[in-house]
Amino acid sequence: MTLPNDPFMLFSVVNMKLRDTYTSLDELCQKEDIERDELCRRLAEAGFEYSAEHRKFW
């Protein structure tokens, strides 16, 4: 999966995949071959953090 460069598009795509396709951030990263730390860093720079309880970034 090619991740969008725009942080708000990235936020939207990741949350959509977490809602519709994957049961966890770890599963998404593993199946899509995404570096979890890099993804979290990029979203954190835009002010988003991951909630495992809610299974989404906000």
Side-chain angles (χ1 to χ4, degrees):
M1 169 181 180
T2 302
L3 297 176
N5 288 326
D6 178 81
F8 295 98
M9 289 298 298
L10 178 61
F11 167 78
S12 179
V13 167
V14 169
N15 275 344
M16 178 190 66
K17 288 200 171 277
L18 286 168
R19 182 190 70 228
D20 296 344
T21 309
Y22 299 108
T23 60
S24 70
L25 182 59
D26 289 329
E27 181 185 13
L28 180 147
C29 290
Q30 179 186 15
K31 301 279 184 170
E32 298 285 346
D33 195 29
I34 298 170
E35 199 54 49
R36 180 188 167 123
D37 291 341
E38 174 68 12
L39 175 63
C40 290
R41 182 192 61 76
R42 287 178 57 190
L43 287 168
E45 286 176 354
F48 301 110
E49 69 178 69
Y50 182 67
S51 169
E53 178 185 352
H54 297 99
R55 222 176 72 223
K56 68 180 182 178
F57 282 90
W58 52 13

